[in-house]
């Protein structure tokens, strides 16, 4: 892992850009020298690590005493995409604008994206836990489809906050039954891109004995800011 820049932010949070092979990432760490837990923070459906809402969440979480990492995994952010991936994205945009069914397009697009992204996240986790001052435990916050795959393949993840927005492929809906870590699922009740009943069915499917659902009125990007505070308190209970 090679750090390429650093920036001291308000509240003493240190933001550092890094590369790990061909994986670009950002690591936010709180002030002080004590060892801290680690949060892997991923945005929905391949959006970049520099997405403003993700950055705001990461800075807030780091200020509460966590190391927070986000990457552009394979197929995400500015990473190169194949002609097939670009065609799938274009077809998805066209179908959504035309009001046509998009389930099968999502399945062909998001399923492979999760498969390719998960190994990059596991590689990054290995490198992050080798850094001084980051000892775990490890939590996950973000995109549900990727989070499910990481939780069932990565035993070091001890708790997860998931966003129900965004398509969850069939494979991850099946894998949800294997998810047994404590969970907090955030649901926007009027999310135009995520049918409510599908999100409720996903919550039912999780195998965790401790799972909590928070539902708020509003569309996909309308998650209230106070949910970030609640998510941090959830992580505090299980990671500190």
């Amino acid at each position: 892992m090679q750090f390429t820049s650093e920036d001291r932010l308000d509240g003493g949070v240190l933001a550092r850009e890094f590369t790990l092979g061909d994986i670009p990432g950002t690591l936010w760490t709180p002030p002080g020298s004590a060892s801290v837990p680690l949060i892997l923070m991923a945005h929905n459906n391949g959006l970049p690590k520099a997405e403003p809402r993700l950055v705001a969440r990461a800075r807030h979480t780091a200020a509460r005493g966590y190391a927070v990492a986000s990457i552009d995994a394979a197929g995400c952010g500015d990473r190169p995409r194949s002609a097939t991936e670009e065609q799938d994205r274009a077809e998805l945009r066209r179908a959504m604008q035309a009001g046509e069914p998009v389930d099968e397009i999502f399945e062909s697009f998001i399923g492979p994206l999760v498969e390719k992204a998960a190994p990059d996240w596991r590689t990054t986790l290995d490198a992050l836990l080798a850094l001084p001052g980051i000892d775990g435990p490890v939590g996950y916050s973000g995109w549900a489809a990727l989070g499910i795959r990481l939780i069932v393949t990565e035993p070091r993840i001890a708790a997860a906050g998931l966003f129900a927005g965004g398509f969850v492929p069939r494979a991850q809906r099946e894998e949800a039954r294997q998810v047994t870590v404590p969970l907090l699922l955030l649901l926007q009740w009027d999310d135009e891109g995520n049918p409510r009943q599908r999100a409720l069915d996903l919550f039912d499917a999780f195998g965790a004995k401790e799972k909590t659902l928070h539902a708020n009125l509003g569309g996909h990007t309308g998650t209230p800011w106070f949910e970030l505070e609640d998510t941090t308190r959830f992580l505090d209970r299980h990671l500190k």
Side-chain angles (χ1 to χ4, degrees):
M1 176 176 285
Q2 179 178 0
F3 289 100
T4 58
S5 70
E6 66 177 54
D7 187 17
R8 185 68 67 177
L9 308 175
D10 294 343
V13 170
L14 181 64
R16 288 179 287 175
E17 298 295 317
F18 66 82
T19 57
L20 182 60
D22 58 355
I23 305 169
T26 308
L27 175 65
W28 296 265
T29 49
S33 57
S35 294
V36 294
L38 171 65
I39 306 297
L40 307 179
M41 192 169 285
H43 209 293
N44 280 4
N45 299 350
L47 292 177
K49 63 183 179 62
E51 203 281 333
R53 288 180 295 151
L54 184 148
V55 172
R57 287 168 44 220
R59 292 177 61 167
H60 176 88
T61 305
R64 290 285 296 267
Y66 291 92
V68 182
S70 183
I71 65 171
D72 282 343
C76 301
D78 295 328
R79 295 280 293 278
R81 301 188 183 102
S82 68
T84 300
E85 289 170 329
E86 292 292 2
Q87 182 178 350
D88 287 342
R89 287 176 183 268
E91 178 62 14
L92 177 61
R93 288 192 295 268
R94 185 205 63 76
M96 292 183 71
Q97 291 170 357
E100 297 174 1
V102 296
D103 275 13
E104 292 308 315
I105 302 173
F106 263 124
E107 190 72 37
S108 65
F109 167 43
I110 301 299
L113 183 61
V114 170
E115 294 289 341
K116 291 193 300 183
D120 281 357
W121 278 96
R122 291 195 295 271
T123 297
T124 303
L125 177 57
D126 289 340
L128 290 168
L129 289 178
L131 295 174
I134 303 178
D135 292 340
V138 180
Y140 175 89
S141 177
W143 179 19
L146 175 63
I148 292 167
R149 170 50 56 89
L150 287 178
I151 292 165
V152 300
T153 58
E154 180 45 72
R156 289 173 291 186
I157 296 178
L162 304 178
F163 289 90
F167 184 84
V168 177
R170 297 184 189 100
Q172 277 64 65
R173 294 202 295 271
E174 289 297 321
E175 287 178 331
R177 305 181 190 283
Q178 304 173 44
V179 173
T180 58
V181 301
L183 288 175
L184 173 62
L185 184 68
L186 301 182
L187 169 62
Q188 285 302 102
W189 204 244
D190 309 299
D191 190 337
E192 59 277 12
N194 189 62
R196 183 187 307 161
Q197 189 57 52
R198 184 173 293 169
L200 296 174
D201 291 343
L202 179 65
F203 181 74
D204 269 344
F206 285 123
K209 293 182 178 179
E210 180 181 337
K211 54 182 179 180
T212 302
L213 174 68
H214 285 187
N216 292 281
L217 296 177
H220 182 68
T221 60
T223 303
W225 184 255
F226 63 74
E227 287 291 2
L228 179 55
E229 293 286 348
D230 286 347
T231 298
T232 306
R233 284 192 288 269
F234 165 81
L235 294 171
D236 288 346
R237 289 198 301 273
H238 297 289
L239 302 180
K240 288 188 174 180

